[in-house]
Amino acid sequence: MNLEERIQEVNKRIEEACLRSGRSAEEVNIVAVTKYVSTDMAAKVLDSGLENLGENRWQNAEEKWNALGHRGTWHFIGHLQTNKVKDVIGKFEYIHSLDRLSLAKELEKSAAAKGLVIKTFVQVNISGEDSKYGLAPEEAAAFLQEIQSFSHIKVIGLMTMAPFEDTAEATRMVFRGLRELRDDLNRQEVTQEPLTELSMGMSNDFEVAIEEGATWIRLGSILVGKQEGE
């Protein structure tokens, strides 16, 4: 399948998942993960009408951003090292991987210096896997309270990564856990404004994530392929 056909197929599957869960497809935003594809392919993704590009390392994104940064909306979706904050601030409108106080402080400092407000998701390790980054669910409320005064970071929601499972259904409890955590935090009024967004679901499990409330899904190979010409 070419890019256009893949996009059509993904949109169809999103609509079907929304129908099953009583949601509107307009509630679901696609981040096209372009970390494995060339700058030319990333340009084709933008040409296709997809507006959100996701990258997980500045080293991989730099060439693409220099060529295409004036187009689309850029999302940093990988683990962000504190010493790389200076590279991504002002280029990436969304950071999906806020997972520790030292990173929050550096984001606040760099964003303040540029007069920006960065939209962020707090990353939570719902599955408890040692290999995954993110706060433990029980740490989320205290962390959010701790960064409440950071006026250049706007936390809009939560993000998680599910384990890679043989069946997508096996990931359901992870996605449900993130939604329930967000709803609990909102009930407790931990943040000044309610958390509305859930960044969860990838190529192998995005339909289950949508059924459980995802508002941003991060799609790589199923959407853009792994390299140009796929």
Side-chain angles (χ1 to χ4, degrees):
M1 282 199 288
N2 61 28
L3 177 62
E4 220 169 86
E5 290 167 335
R6 285 195 292 258
I7 292 170
Q8 286 175 355
E9 174 67 17
V10 163
N11 282 333
K12 181 178 165 214
R13 289 170 65 178
I14 289 171
E15 284 171 14
E16 288 169 352
C18 285
L19 272 174
R20 288 193 296 273
S21 50
R23 300 182 64 200
S24 163
E26 291 175 4
E27 297 171 29
V28 180
N29 302 284
I30 298 171
V31 177
V33 179
T34 48
K35 63 181 178 178
Y36 292 126
V37 300
S38 66
T39 300
D40 286 347
M41 188 61 181
K44 288 176 185 172
V45 170
L46 290 167
D47 292 341
S48 76
L50 292 173
E51 295 175 0
N52 297 286
L53 297 188
E55 290 281 336
N56 75 331
R57 293 177 72 198
W58 173 242
Q59 298 94 302
N60 296 341
E62 185 172 9
E63 180 191 313
K64 285 171 232 173
W65 196 90
N66 287 337
L68 304 168
H70 60 292
R71 300 179 59 191
T73 300
W74 293 67
H75 298 246
F76 195 89
I77 60 174
H79 181 68
L80 181 54
Q81 294 172 297
T82 309
N83 64 355
K84 297 292 182 187
V85 166
K86 63 185 185 302
D87 296 322
V88 305
I89 284 286
K91 302 179 180 77
F92 291 80
E93 195 172 321
Y94 293 82
I95 306 289
H96 287 241
S97 49
L98 176 55
D99 63 353
R100 61 201 187 279
L101 186 59
S102 60
L103 178 58
K105 286 178 176 175
E106 195 60 34
L107 286 168
E108 172 69 13
K109 183 175 129 189
S110 296
K114 289 182 178 281
L116 300 171
V117 176
I118 306 297
K119 299 185 189 86
T120 62
F121 297 81
V122 169
Q123 183 170 358
V124 184
N125 185 357
I126 295 287
S127 68
E129 285 182 289
D130 290 340
S131 60
K132 297 274 193 293
Y133 291 106
L135 298 167
E138 61 272 17
E139 296 172 334
F143 178 74
L144 286 163
Q145 286 166 341
E146 201 161 8
I147 64 171
Q148 192 80 269
S149 63
F150 291 15
S151 56
H152 296 274
I153 296 175
K154 182 176 176 59
V155 180
I156 59 172
L158 306 178
M159 182 273 249
T160 200
M161 296 179 70
F164 190 92
E165 302 281 7
D166 291 335
T167 65
E169 185 60 35
T171 63
R172 186 175 298 277
M173 294 312 294
V174 172
F175 299 136
R176 184 172 295 171
L178 193 71
R179 171 170 52 83
E180 289 175 346
L181 176 61
R182 180 202 60 185
D183 295 348
D184 283 345
L185 293 168
N186 285 339
R187 270 193 293 274
Q188 295 170 47
E189 298 183 344
V190 170
T191 51
Q192 289 173 348
E193 294 175 29
L195 302 172
T196 57
E197 307 302 311
L198 292 173
S199 170
M200 59 187 193
M202 296 163 68
S203 290
N204 56 308
D205 53 24
F206 70 92
E207 289 148 303
V208 174
I210 289 169
E211 290 169 7
E212 292 299 333
T215 61
W216 293 88
I217 54 175
R218 310 180 303 271
L219 302 183
S221 55
I222 196 171
L223 189 68
V224 302
K226 288 189 178 172
Q227 58 186 29
E228 194 164 4
E230 274 201 356

